[in-house]
Amino acid sequence: MFLGEIKPMGLTIYQSITPAGITPQQPTDKTSLCGSDRAYTIKKWFGVRRSTWLLSMYMVAYFLFLVGGCLLFSTLEQGAEEKLKNGIDQRKKDFVQAHPGVKDADLEKLIDDIMYRGISPKRRDLKNSNWSFGQSLLFTVTVVTTIGYGHINPVTPDGKLACIAYAVIGIPFTLIFLSALVQRLLAPTFRLLSSFLKLLPKMDNFQVRLMHLATMSSLFLLLIMLLPSIIFYLLEPGWTLLDTFYFVFISLTTIGLGDYIPGDNEMHEPYRDAYKSCVGLFLLMGLVFMSLTLTVFYDIPQLNLGLHLLRHRDISDKDSTTTIKRKHTDSETSTQTTLRPSIDYTNAGHDRILESD
């Protein structure tokens, strides 16, 4: 059985069973889209879809970026690591020499025994539980937000199973929570954009949206990044401003290396639970505003480079040479009209540009 051509209304004609009087459709250069008579073309480079080329180049660039990061951090950190290791080894040797009754092997075994993840060997921490309310709240926040500092962890089988189950439920729950709050905050955010458009009627829409993005990013940097960094600098002895900014950035980007944990200093003991609870709430609110800023960024199609990697971006209308928009419509500005757009807030998740009367 040979497969023939597909007619515009979706009728498939098989040459071996074609009824009498029906002539199979001859191949044509035009291709119909979704059974319509509207012709379209597929953008290709050297016979391969353009998005496939772009995705391939992106993947190559991405893996080169990873290799470059590997070489960068190895170059920057390897020398400092060697110095620290040599210093620790020298202190161990000095300790053994100062205490002839202690064997080097016994010291190594003691270090192995006390270096248990999440358990502090310091005497002052023997009565401070890792699972107090504040510590537990911060732990649960880092689990459901996937920050995962790793400063404490469950060690019992029941605790590990509970952590898995809690994360399975809590991560989607948190995503819904974050997306709902961001959705609420988009309406005033885009009202601000609408005000910019009215105040700057002669400026190109793209330039206005860049100013709006710069305003939102500046507010985020000032209120969510710099101000908390200063607060942590005042509360955490031994932390520099770079350390505190590094901690805030690593936390809000959900990297969560866990090398800096606020509230573990001895001076915080009287209010440690309240302090760590506040840190957990700050992480949640910070992620909300981080998501809001990223949403404003990705809502500008000229900056959303990922759109060019989608397969449907290869499809062009043959008659009008306009790009077919499917699930995500590009709210690109038109230079052919003098009308200023206004924002439709009925669906604040997408910045719909409507022509005003």
Side-chain angles (χ1 to χ4, degrees):
M1 184 181 297
F2 298 95
L3 182 63
E5 296 294 321
I6 299 178
K7 295 184 73 63
M9 295 305 294
L11 175 63
T12 303
I13 300 178
Y14 295 92
Q15 294 178 356
S16 59
I17 57 175
T18 301
I22 297 181
T23 304
Q25 184 178 355
Q26 297 299 320
T28 177
D29 292 336
K30 283 191 174 184
T31 310
S32 62
L33 181 63
C34 299
S36 66
D37 293 331
R38 200 171 185 178
Y40 71 94
T41 58
I42 303 293
K43 296 179 183 178
K44 294 183 177 181
W45 294 344
F46 302 104
V48 181
R49 292 183 71 137
R50 185 190 64 167
S51 63
T52 303
W53 279 106
L54 293 176
L55 179 59
S56 301
M57 289 187 288
Y58 180 85
M59 292 177 64
V60 171
Y62 180 71
F63 283 104
L64 289 176
F65 179 75
L66 294 179
V67 173
C70 172
L71 297 176
L72 172 66
F73 291 112
S74 296
T75 303
L76 293 175
E77 296 294 330
Q78 202 164 29
E81 180 194 27
E82 290 297 327
K83 290 182 180 179
L84 288 173
K85 286 183 176 180
N86 292 335
I88 293 173
D89 185 62
Q90 185 61 46
R91 291 190 64 182
K92 287 160 54 179
K93 291 179 180 178
D94 294 341
F95 180 83
V96 172
Q97 290 177 359
H99 301 80
V102 178
K103 297 181 181 179
D104 186 66
D106 293 337
L107 178 61
E108 291 292 329
K109 186 178 185 305
L110 176 63
I111 294 175
D112 289 337
D113 291 341
I114 65 176
M115 286 185 62
Y116 200 81
R117 184 177 299 177
I119 304 297
S120 173
K122 296 179 181 179
R123 179 171 298 174
R124 65 176 176 84
D125 292 328
L126 292 178
K127 296 182 180 180
N128 294 328
S129 173
N130 279 342
W131 300 104
S132 61
F133 179 82
Q135 286 272 42
S136 299
L137 180 60
L138 182 58
F139 170 77
T140 54
V141 169
T142 60
V143 169
V144 298
T145 57
T146 69
I147 295 175
Y149 287 138
H151 61 301
I152 59 174
N153 59 280
V155 296
T156 64
D158 291 342
K160 293 175 181 178
L161 290 174
C163 185
I164 294 173
Y166 190 84
V168 168
I169 300 172
I171 292 175
F173 200 12
T174 303
L175 291 176
I176 295 172
F177 168 76
L178 295 177
S179 61
L181 289 183
V182 169
Q183 189 77 11
R184 294 281 182 170
L185 292 173
L186 279 176
T189 300
F190 286 127
R191 274 197 290 270
L192 177 62
L193 173 59
S194 180
S195 301
F196 280 9
L197 292 170
K198 292 177 181 178
L199 292 173
L200 304 168
K202 296 183 180 180
M203 186 174 290
D204 181 72
N205 282 0
F206 176 60
Q207 295 177 342
V208 175
R209 300 190 74 175
L210 286 180
M211 292 181 59
H212 176 250
L213 175 62
T215 302
M216 294 297 300
S217 300
S218 299
L219 290 174
F220 173 78
L221 181 64
L222 178 63
L223 300 178
I224 309 300
M225 300 290 288
L226 293 180
L227 182 59
S229 298
I230 295 174
I231 294 175
F232 283 123
Y233 174 72
L234 298 175
L235 293 176
E236 294 293 334
W239 288 21
T240 65
L241 274 175
L242 175 60
D243 294 335
T244 56
F245 185 81
Y246 167 81
F247 163 76
V248 172
F249 177 83
I250 291 297
S251 299
L252 296 185
T253 52
T254 69
I255 298 172
L257 295 178
D259 47 351
Y260 288 91
I261 304 296
D264 283 346
N265 192 276
E266 187 176 3
M267 62 175 292
H268 301 134
E269 188 172 347
Y271 53 90
R272 177 172 287 126
D273 283 347
Y275 184 21
K276 286 186 175 285
S277 298
C278 291
V279 173
L281 295 177
F282 159 71
L283 294 177
L284 285 175
M285 293 302 102
L287 287 176
V288 170
F289 287 99
M290 169 74 80
S291 302
L292 177 64
T293 306
L294 291 177
T295 301
V296 173
F297 174 84
Y298 285 117
D299 195 68
I300 304 176
Q302 293 91 333
L303 301 181
N304 192 350
L305 301 181
L307 292 175
H308 298 285
L309 304 179
L310 303 179
R311 287 175 60 86
H312 74 266
R313 293 300 295 261
D314 298 332
I315 303 175
S316 296
D317 193 313
K318 210 170 188 179
D319 298 326
S320 61
T321 66
T322 58
T323 303
I324 295 179
K325 302 174 180 60
R326 291 187 178 179
K327 187 176 179 181
H328 300 285
T329 33
D330 296 341
S331 54
E332 296 178 352
T333 59
S334 173
T335 58
Q336 305 297 325
T337 179
T338 59
L339 298 177
R340 296 296 293 172
S342 61
I343 309 299
D344 177 16
Y345 300 104
T346 57
N347 184 8
H350 299 282
D351 184 11
R352 297 181 177 180
I353 304 298
L354 303 176
E355 297 297 337
S356 59
D357 294 333

